[in-house]
Each structure stands twice: as C-alpha cells, then as structure tokens.
Amino acid sequence: MQVRSAVIPAAGLGTRFLPATKAVPKELFPIGDQPALQIVIDEALGAGIDHIVVVSSRDKPAIADYFERDDKLIAALDDAGKTDVADRLRAIGKDWRATVVYQDEPRGLGHAVGCAREAVGDEPFAVMLPDELMGSSALLAQMNGVCSSTGGSVVAVVNVPREEVSSYGVIDPAGELTADGVIPVKDLVEKPDPDDAPSNFILTGRYVLTPDAWTEIAALRPGRAGELQLTDALRAQAARSPFHAVVSDVSRHDTGNPLGFLIATIELGLVNPDLRGPLAEFLAELKH
Ligand code: G1P
C-alpha cells in the first residue's frame, strides 16, 4: 500500500539559530532559492506522497503563510513576463495537499507527531524530520516498499562511529543485514550511552509507520529528558510486530546547526544545475 501522508514536525523554536530564528522559522531558511522545508516536501512527493502534514507552532505563522496561495503576486509575475517564477509559486500545493496542525507545548517528538493523528487518519504514514535533508526520494520509496511487504513499521538508519550514538535513537538488530540493506529490529533505545548501545545504527530522521503507532504515541509516558519520545512508541511496536530498518545510502545533510546548514547549502548548491558552475568556480578560487 502506498503511503499517502508525510508528517513533518516543525514546531521547534530553533534556539541553535537565534537570533536568525527570532522572526523566521529555520524550516524556511533558503537553500539556494528554496526554503529547506520545500526540499523535504519534494523528497516526499518523489516517493509518491501527496499529503504533507506540517506540525507547526502558533509562534511560527510564516510556516502556514508559505502554503497560502498569493494570487496577487502570481498575477504580477505573469504580467511582468516572469511566468517561470509564477509557475513555481502555482506549484505549491498544486498536485498535493498541505495541512498545518499545531503543537501548543513543546513536549517532545512523540507528542509533536501525535498532533498529526487526525489529519493523517488510520493509514500508514511517513515521518520526516526537516533537520535532515536527503539527496533523493529513493530511501523513502524503499522504506515504503518494505512497509508494504512486511506489514510493519520501518526506520531509516546509518552506521556511525560508536562515540556518536549518544545523540540519536539506536536500533537493536534482530538479525543480519540483507543485500537490500534491510535489518530486522527487535528493540530501539533513545540516546544511549555508547557503552550500552545495542548497535552503531542510528535513526536518521525518516520513518514509515503503521497506523497502530498512533495508539502507542497516545500512550507515551515521559522518557529520556522528560519528553514524550517517538522512539519509545516504536519500541512498543518492535516488541510485538515485524519492524525493520533500511540502511540509508543516499547523501544526508544535517541542517540542525549553523555549520551543518552552511555546508548543506554548499553541497546542495553544487548539485543545482543553475548554481553548480559558478559556485564550483568560486570554491576553486577560494583554495588559492
Ligand atoms: C530525534 C530522535 C532521534 C533521532 C534524531 C535524528 O532526536 O529522537 O531518535 O535519531 O532525531 O536526527 P533529536 O535530534 O530531535 O534530539
């Protein structure tokens, strides 16, 4: 079954980017001429998803504004002969639907995702953390296929050095990695001490979840850091249902801190046909 909805949690205050985030949500920071959020949306659309549910905060009205159609601006661009730009604005929400829901208090990732329950309904759904930008839709599409064939939830993972696992959710594998890069999972743990971590495979911000996740999310109790942790809801699923991880082999850009964001801007600029040439030239000159 094709996953139709993607939940994008975007209610955070972006404290690591203050004062830049005082007035502009970090999800709308530009990567070239695109807001970072649109890059995540394009990844979802490329994997066949057509309903984007953004979990925002009332303190970030610009997120909902991004999805509002601006007929006056579109008409002005058309009149000025800038139909290519007008077309890009028309494309926002054209063959897909955006729903913005609100998380009124910061109670953790599990709680944020739970705010999307009514908008998604009783069907499998993706969760996409917008602090990570992927180079393509291939990973999410593969995860969707694994969810359909196994009937269970699927998480994306990457292998990292042991000392880094304490910043992430970590899987406890139930078996070997297959040739397709899929690992059965028996348990998960949020931000373990490296000494206690069950593996070096960390959760990397992409999930395809079966709808029973809603019940587990609703039943969450405060976990690590006193927050309602999505990882704890997944653990309950892994304990009783098929649960798999897909090892990501797409490029991944961590935009969760200012340096990562700057690097992502450059790396994604280097694959953008309009920017690639002059940007590469500039970087080559910098080396001298
Ligand atoms: C969240 C999840 C964690 C995951 C990480 C990926 O943590 O709780 O399991 O590994 O995202 O970026 P956060 O970065 O919000 O602390």
Side-chain angles (χ1 to χ4, degrees), residues 109 129 132 168-169 190-191 203 205 207 229 231:
L109 181 60
L129 306 190
E132 290 176 66
Y168 301 96
E190 180 68 8
K191 306 196 172 97
L203 304 184
Y207 310 75
Q229 297 288 353
T231 304

Side-chain angles (χ1 to χ4, degrees), residues 47 137-147 154 180-182 246-247 249:
S137 304
L139 172 64
L140 199 59
Q142 186 188 356
M143 293 169 70
N144 185 23
V146 174
C147 178
V154 184
D180 298 336
V182 178
V246 171
V247 182
D249 62 359

Side-chain angles (χ1 to χ4, degrees), residues 75-110:
L77 289 164
D78 278 333
D79 288 348
K82 296 183 177 163
T83 38
D84 49 339
V85 191
D87 284 345
R88 291 185 69 190
L89 294 184
R90 271 189 280 264
I92 300 172
K94 184 161 166 250
D95 299 318
W96 48 280
R97 192 157 58 91
T99 305
V100 178
V101 298
Y102 293 95
Q103 182 190 28
D104 291 321
E105 304 166 75
R107 295 178 58 198
L109 181 60

Side-chain angles (χ1 to χ4, degrees), residues 27-28 34-43 45 66-67 91-93 96:
E27 295 79 10
L28 298 181
Q34 299 258 66
L37 180 61
Q38 185 62 52
I39 295 176
V40 181
I41 293 172
D42 288 344
E43 180 194 337
L45 303 180
Y66 178 69
F67 297 109
I92 300 172
W96 48 280

Side-chain angles (χ1 to χ4, degrees), residues 16 109-110 129 131-132 156 165 167-170 189-191 202-207 227 229-231 234 252 254:
R16 273 181 280 186
L109 181 60
L129 306 190
D131 272 356
E132 290 176 66
V165 298
S167 305
Y168 301 96
V170 177
V189 49
E190 180 68 8
K191 306 196 172 97
I202 59 145
L203 304 184
T204 178
R206 296 293 180 272
Y207 310 75
E227 296 189 343
Q229 297 288 353
L230 180 61
T231 304
L234 307 185
R252 160 177 175 261
D254 180 359

Side-chain angles (χ1 to χ4, degrees), residues 211-221 232-234 236-237 240:
D212 54 312
W214 296 125
T215 318
E216 301 302 347
I217 288 170
L220 279 173
R221 295 278 160 265
D232 291 340
L234 307 185
Q237 284 195 308
R240 54 146 214 275

